[in-house]
Amino acid sequence: MAAPEVFTIAQVPLTAHAFNADRSKLITSLNTNEAQIYGRQGNEWKPEVTLSEHDKLITSIDWAPNSNRIVTASQDRNAYVWSQTTGADGNSVWKPTLVLLRINRAATYVRWSPKEDKFAVASGARAIAVCSFDADNDWWVSRLLKKPIRSTVLSVDWHPNNVLLAAGTADMKARVFSAYIKDVDSRPSPSVWGEKLPFNTICGEYASPAGGWVHSVAFSPSGDVLAFASHDSTISIVYPGGPAVITVRNSTLPYVSLTWTSEDALVAAGHDCQPVLFSGSAEGWKAIGSLDDAKSGAPLTPVSTGSSSGGRFASAGVGRLGTNEAFARFRNADTLGKSSATPGSPVSGGDSSGDTELMTVHQNTITSVRPYEISANGNVAKVSTSGVDGKLVIWNVSVPAGTGGLSSRLGGMHLR
Amino acid sequence: MSHTVDIPQELKDSLRKFRFARRSAGSAAIIVKINKQKLIMEEVEQFDNISLEDLAEELPEMSPRYVVLSYELKHKDGRVSFPLVLVNWAPSGSETSLLTLHASAFIDFQQTADVSKVIEIRDGADSLTKENIDSKLGV
């Protein structure tokens, strides 16, 4: 089983990331109002094009694989749809088209629909703008889903039938709406969520037991199951018409992003800085384990972090004094409270050496997890994650053998 | 006064015929759109005896139109009259340049159709209800 591919794109947070259809190009925003397209060269991503049109921070990006269009949403209340055309000199150029969303607050999240003829923009205006292209006027038209949203919409996900839309909001509810647009969609066949659904019909409204903002929602590949992650550290799975909402309570920090890998498994990631695999069925769900094998992350001993701390411990590790705990304590006393060169990492709790690197691959919150590679049987084999530490990591969707979870590893460390 | 959009003679004749058609029951409507490429107004469709809900269905969600409506108005004292009402159908999600063109040509259209009563509908199908129009007509 291969180790995850780790790419350090920047030293600043990556607000969002998306790949093109064949995964040769990556678009991401480095916490600014510009988006950068990178091209894969061997084991690295080289910056190629910068898309700058937005006035304020870009909050979300999505790349439509079939029509090769990019949509970016920003705090400046706008969204731009970018199409690739060949310029006069033969180079490809990305041309932006402004979409007037008619919202009066920032856009927070954007996703193309499965057929790529519509996209949904979640916003702080307590509304979701569903945008479609009006060919007669050569213009993107937006319709707002408003009732009964009472706070910022944090994330949206489309159902495979191109009509239903799930939304997670800060009013602690996950809802399923119908985003049926008259001249764009054909009448959808009845599903478990309902039939004959005019625009803005609510097909379901769900909450988790302790409440908390719903950070992320996702439909399963068939569309018959809905999962959402809330700020009360739970993952809830909804089988409409079946049993009540199944909740998986975790003793970890909350998850902020999730994606389904097959009809009975999903990967969630968030403030714990590692992606975790969950699996189950209508009978019950549980966490299987972390995709992060901490052994391959930053080592546990204090001596080998020389490069990240600027060579401070370069001479350590030689002879008996190097591993002496008392010696290490005095040596590290003057680094207490100093932030190390490692980007954005807090001192991890029970680590007596003062090493400020986390044991996970990601050194800070993972903000986005997306499917990267689909295997032959239709399940997602690899996922990509990006986070506040500026890293982009591609994981295999399988729990490394022998990982009893990070807690057992930490326990093992103290026994030294 | 400069004219941004031309009104062809057939449309003027159509409007006259609509105006003088004898009404017995129900509301009738004629829908006119602006052809942006040719910069002329065109009649889209004409309806006899249509309900307001059906009319709202027929009108596009995101595109401006002029609607001359022969509205069946039932007075409090039992009389039924058919006043001509001009509806400025201009949903806010429409394309901006088309909206501006529509607004600039509106006065012209109103003078050609010779209708004094005007109702503005800017937010789409929800506003095109019987109660709304009755209140605007002062009933």
Side-chain angles (χ1 to χ4, degrees), chain A residues 34-377:
Chain A
E34 292 177 341
Q36 288 259 45
I37 298 185
Y38 292 80
R40 179 128 196 200
Q41 270 156 40
N43 263 349
E44 282 182 13
W45 293 94
K46 292 270 188 297
E48 286 180 357
V49 192
T50 303
L51 308 180
S52 41
E53 202 70 35
H54 281 290
D55 299 321
K56 290 176 113 181
L57 212 77
I58 291 183
T59 49
S60 182
I61 305 175
D62 198 17
W63 199 326
N66 298 328
S67 55
N68 203 36
R69 286 184 295 195
I70 295 175
V71 60
T72 55
S74 154
Q75 285 178 358
D76 63 3
R77 300 172 279 115
N78 292 333
Y80 280 93
V81 173
W82 303 78
S83 317
Q84 193 169 23
T85 51
T86 319
D89 49 358
N91 291 335
S92 75
V93 154
W94 286 93
K95 195 173 81 69
T97 309
L98 173 67
V99 179
L100 268 189
L101 303 172
R102 293 180 299 124
I103 52 180
N104 54 9
R105 292 293 186 278
T108 55
Y109 201 81
V110 66
R111 281 293 178 265
W112 284 104
S113 71
K115 289 213 195 98
E116 295 165 22
D117 52 359
K118 304 190 288 191
F119 59 90
V121 186
S123 75
R126 312 192 297 179
I128 303 169
V130 180
C131 306
S132 56
F133 193 67
D134 181 4
D136 300 328
N137 293 323
D138 194 23
W139 166 258
W140 285 90
V141 148
S142 106
R143 291 199 63 185
L144 297 180
L145 286 168
K146 291 194 127 184
K147 294 185 173 53
I149 304 174
R150 302 307 307 155
S151 187
T152 303
V153 186
L154 296 167
S155 99
V156 290
D157 189 46
W158 287 95
H159 186 282
N161 71 1
N162 213 56
V163 169
L164 295 172
L165 186 69
T169 53
D171 58 6
M172 311 196 272
K173 297 267 192 292
R175 296 185 180 88
V176 179
F177 291 92
S178 158
Y180 174 79
I181 307 273
K182 201 159 64 163
D183 294 313
V184 174
D185 294 311
S186 52
R187 224 150 249 297
S189 46
S191 66
V192 294
W193 300 99
E195 42 181 273
K196 198 181 172 23
L197 308 160
F199 189 76
N200 211 347
T201 321
I202 303 287
C203 305
E205 189 173 290
Y206 310 98
S208 68
W213 287 7
V214 178
H215 287 292
S216 182
V217 288
F219 278 109
S220 69
S222 70
D224 293 335
V225 194
L226 177 73
F228 60 94
S230 326
H231 203 73
D232 57 353
S233 296
T234 58
I235 302 274
S236 304
I237 324 282
V238 180
Y239 289 86
V245 177
I246 300 175
T247 315
V248 182
R249 289 190 151 100
N250 306 291
S251 56
T252 55
L253 293 176
Y255 296 106
V256 295
S257 181
L258 60 86
T259 184
W260 287 81
T261 50
S262 71
E263 197 57 32
D264 56 7
L266 59 88
V267 169
H271 292 291
D272 248 352
C273 316
Q274 51 186 319
V276 178
L277 182 68
F278 288 80
S279 179
S281 65
E283 274 84 53
W285 277 73
K286 67 182 212 299
I288 306 293
S290 165
L291 300 187
D292 194 333
D293 181 0
K295 274 207 294 284
S296 58
L300 307 181
T301 58
V303 292
S304 32
T305 53
S307 55
S308 63
S309 335
R312 169 171 279 282
F313 303 135
S315 58
V318 178
R320 61 176 174 80
L321 278 183
T323 49
N324 186 320
E325 205 178 292
F327 187 76
R329 190 189 292 269
F330 286 110
R331 186 183 59 214
N332 298 336
D334 62 344
T335 62
L336 222 66
K338 255 203 214 153
S339 55
S340 73
T342 323
S345 53
V347 176
S348 43
D351 202 328
S352 58
S353 67
D355 181 12
T356 52
E357 259 196 37
L358 292 182
M359 291 179 286
T360 52
V361 173
H362 272 288
Q363 293 299 302
N364 210 322
T365 307
I366 297 176
T367 52
S368 173
V369 62
R370 304 191 79 153
Y372 181 76
E373 190 183 282
I374 318 273
S375 65
N377 61 359

Side-chain angles (χ1 to χ4, degrees), chain B residues 9-18 30 43 46:
Chain B
Q9 191 55 40
E10 315 91 64
L11 181 59
K12 293 187 191 172
D13 294 337
S14 202
L15 285 170
R16 284 207 73 190
K17 270 186 59 184
F18 183 83
I30 182 169
E43 177 186 334
Q46 207 176 101

